Amino acid sequence: MAQHYVSLLFLFFTFTFTCSMAAKMVPAVFVFGDSLVDVGNNNYLTLSIAKANFPHNGVDFPGKKATGRFSNGRNAADFLAEKLGLPSSPPYLSLTSASNNSNAFLGGVSFASGGARILDPTDSLFKQSIHLSKQVEYYATVYANLVEQLGTVEAQKYFSKSLYAIVIGGNDILKYFGASDVQPKSTTPQELVDSMTLMMTGYLKRLYNLGARKFLVVGIPAVGCCPFQRNQNKTGGGCKEESNYWCNKYNEGAKSMLQAMKTEFKDINYAFSDSYNILLNFIQKPANYGFTEVKAACCGLGNLNADVPCSPISQYCPKRTDHVFWDLFHPTEATVKIFIDTIFDGSQPYVSPVNVRQLVAL
Ligand SMILES: *[C@@H]1O[C@H](CO)[C@@H](O)[C@H](O)[C@H]1NC(C)=O
Ligand SMILES: *[C@@H]1O[C@H](CO)[C@@H](O)[C@H](O)[C@H]1NC(C)=O
């Protein structure tokens, strides 16, 4: 009887173990990028003002917790991890500042930091955000640590099956086409997007040399339609066409660059998301996605709730699920959930040459 019970228990454990293993589609996700995927790194940057660890951020997060995510709830990194059957990759700075038990890196790490850009690595001197160059250097530390822990052969297998998600570029465009158009620029927009693509190629190659083989590169959304940029358009409150045009140009360049990389390095695979057109769909056909407000931010003050950023003293909308934008720059949890569904199981032109589900199965 007891033996019977034990074997049943054993069967039960084997079953649940197998199930949870099956649900996990990659060993780890390494996340690089900006506030769209920051899960709390900036909380550790004492001098940074690019933070979201205060209300009303997190109003829809479990426990209404303001974790540092620039969102009313979970962000794109959280939904991506959930789809892959993993917990969200923890912020790198939370792992190094506390007990840096090296096991902590095994399930993936997030290096993403609000305000991060592709260009101008020297900006990180001001300690506002972790520049992409620094994010990649942090990853090199994690890489060395895991190689030591797992051994070279096992570590290479682990890296090659893991997913490297890169979500960045919007801040480069916003900086260039920011507050005023009066200031003369030392570079043309074409030079801007060309150097972004060039820098990005360098970072991807560095990650490749550090074991990465599966890349999810998220293109820049139509940032010209965020409430901050709409608010600058005093003649009609439309999207800032110039920003949008160059977001699209960068995305086209990034897509060609990835095709070229795939020709050069045969053993890489990637999914590129046309975030620009995915977001534009939400804005142009809101009813299809359950949205009723595509212009104004949910949280903030003033015109389009975009004169003053979201803070404890600003108001926020009662229903977050019908707004595309949470604050003057960032989408709502509802928006990014549909976004991740689209790139996970969708098809061209929104995600190409494969979707994320296909990418991780390759
Ligand atoms: C672990 O912590 C020590 C001391 O804080 C630090 O020097 C080291 O770089 C950390 N290790 C990793 C892998 O981050
Ligand atoms: C401002 O919005 C109007 C109406 O949508 C649009 O036609 C115009 O191009 C926008 N202006 C700029 C500078 O983008």
Side-chain angles (χ1 to χ4, degrees):
M1 185 66 190
Q3 200 180 5
H4 189 65
Y5 174 74
V6 168
S7 62
L8 261 182
L9 204 65
F10 178 74
L11 259 178
F12 174 75
F13 277 119
T14 321
F15 178 72
T16 48
F17 184 67
T18 318
C19 277
S20 59
M21 288 301 284
K24 184 170 142 178
M25 298 165 77
V26 291
V29 188
F30 295 100
V31 184
F32 302 83
D34 58 26
S35 56
L36 293 172
V37 284
D38 187 346
V39 287
N41 272 312
N42 278 18
N43 300 351
Y44 296 88
L45 304 180
T46 41
L47 299 182
S48 177
I49 54 160
K51 286 189 182 160
N53 54 350
F54 49 80
H56 304 294
N57 293 297
V59 63
D60 297 310
F61 198 82
K64 285 189 183 280
K65 209 171 164 229
T67 57
R69 286 167 175 78
F70 297 78
S71 169
N72 59 305
R74 290 180 290 165
N75 70 20
D78 299 310
F79 286 112
L80 176 65
E82 184 179 78
K83 285 267 183 194
L84 294 165
L86 288 165
S88 302
S89 303
Y92 175 75
L93 295 182
S94 75
L95 302 175
T96 47
S97 66
S99 67
N100 64 359
N101 163 13
S102 49
N103 279 336
F105 298 147
L106 269 176
V109 182
S110 170
F111 306 94
S113 165
R117 292 185 293 125
I118 299 172
L119 297 178
D120 304 331
T122 48
D123 261 20
S124 51
L125 287 178
F126 300 104
K127 298 190 179 0
Q128 289 299 305
S129 58
I130 309 164
H131 191 270
L132 184 56
S133 60
K134 188 80 176 167
Q135 295 184 26
V136 172
E137 284 323 300
Y138 281 154
Y139 168 72
T141 314
V142 169
Y143 170 88
N145 185 288
L146 288 172
V147 167
E148 194 175 309
Q149 201 183 141
L150 302 171
T152 311
V153 177
E154 279 310 306
Q156 294 310 323
K157 268 192 229 164
Y158 167 89
F159 296 129
S160 68
K161 288 182 191 154
S162 294
L163 183 66
Y164 293 74
I166 302 146
V167 183
I168 199 161
N171 291 323
D172 294 89
I173 297 289
L174 281 170
K175 183 172 187 227
Y176 192 93
F177 296 107
S180 101
D181 291 322
V182 247
Q183 230 177 351
K185 307 236 164 39
S186 58
T187 52
T188 66
Q190 186 65 57
E191 286 166 346
L192 170 82
V193 297
D194 286 348
S195 43
M196 285 166 68
T197 316
L198 192 66
M199 291 290 278
M200 186 59 118
T201 316
Y203 292 125
L204 293 176
K205 286 184 178 168
R206 175 102 172 104
L207 292 176
Y208 176 85
N209 289 330
L210 295 168
R213 294 296 179 270
K214 291 182 189 211
F215 298 96
L216 164 61
V217 180
V218 171
I220 309 178
V223 298
C225 294
C226 73
F228 171 77
Q229 293 244 283
R230 258 191 216 273
N231 193 26
Q232 294 173 333
N233 186 341
K234 301 301 176 201
T235 58
C239 302
K240 187 160 182 173
E241 301 301 340
E242 206 182 12
S243 309
N244 277 353
Y245 179 84
W246 291 102
C247 285
N248 218 2
K249 275 281 185 198
Y250 167 78
N251 288 346
E252 283 170 11
K255 207 168 157 178
S256 311
M257 176 269 284
L258 285 163
Q259 279 163 358
M261 259 192 86
K262 169 81 181 152
T263 315
E264 190 180 348
F265 306 99
K266 303 260 181 298
D267 57 344
I268 68 161
N269 283 295
Y270 69 90
F272 177 79
S273 86
D274 182 356
S275 317
Y276 180 90
N277 281 303
I278 298 174
L279 184 70
L280 220 55
N281 264 343
F282 298 163
I283 291 166
Q284 289 171 349
K285 299 169 227 158
N288 292 1
Y289 304 95
F291 296 119
T292 55
E293 179 57 67
V294 303
K295 294 183 177 175
C298 168
C299 184
L301 286 172
N303 185 42
L304 300 177
N305 285 333
D307 287 334
V308 177
C310 182
S311 80
I313 58 149
S314 47
Q315 56 182 23
Y316 66 96
C317 60
K319 197 170 171 211
R320 272 76 67 188
T321 49
D322 60 20
H323 277 62
V324 171
F325 291 98
W326 163 242
D327 65 14
L328 72 180
F329 295 116
H330 304 100
T332 54
E333 178 183 65
T335 302
V336 296
K337 185 175 192 307
I338 312 170
F339 174 78
I340 291 295
D341 285 347
T342 308
I343 67 172
F344 209 86
D345 285 304
S347 55
Q348 305 204 32
Y350 302 119
V351 60
S352 62
V354 292
N355 62 32
V356 180
R357 187 184 294 280
Q358 292 163 334
L359 173 67
V360 299
L362 283 170

